[in-house]
Amino acid sequence: RIDPYYSNKFTVVINACKRLDSLIELVILYNSMDAVHRIIVVWNPCGHTVPAVLKSMGRVIIKYEKVDNINARFPIYPLIKTEAVLICDDDIFVKPPNVLGVW
């Protein structure tokens, strides 16, 4: 359910597992933005563990998947409380002014 309290914020959903360095950089970037309510990292099984730095960030939620599926990021998650959602891969960098210019 969309919460009107978060009408000026958006949720980031990132499909991830293999590109750990770029994932960390991306999450740090989005975590620094006031307009981001939550960052949901959809973690696919690939033999890597989730970097500890991601687990320690307050607005980051790790959603563990049982199978590696690129479509795992598309279901409606109860964790999403915002009307706006940015869905990306762990190697897609969009500069904050470009992201904020959409809303």
Side-chain angles (χ1 to χ4, degrees), residues 12-91:
V12 179
V13 178
I14 306 171
N15 203 41
C17 182
K18 297 178 183 168
R19 295 175 285 262
L20 301 181
D21 290 341
S22 64
L23 172 64
I24 292 168
E25 188 177 343
L26 187 61
V27 170
I28 289 170
L29 171 72
Y30 288 128
N31 199 45
S32 71
M33 297 173 63
D34 291 335
V36 172
H37 172 245
R38 282 193 177 138
I39 302 165
I40 301 170
V41 176
V42 180
W43 191 261
N44 292 294
C46 64
H48 296 288
T49 58
V50 175
V53 67
L54 298 183
K55 293 179 181 180
S56 67
M57 293 183 190
R59 294 188 287 172
V60 176
I61 297 171
I62 310 297
K63 183 170 184 321
Y64 295 91
E65 292 295 321
K66 294 181 181 179
V67 294
D68 189 359
N69 184 345
I70 196 166
N71 294 320
R73 61 186 146 183
F74 294 116
I76 302 299
Y77 298 112
L79 300 171
I80 296 175
K81 305 293 183 198
T82 61
E83 193 170 333
V85 179
L86 173 65
I87 299 174
C88 58
D89 286 332
D90 53 5
D91 64 341

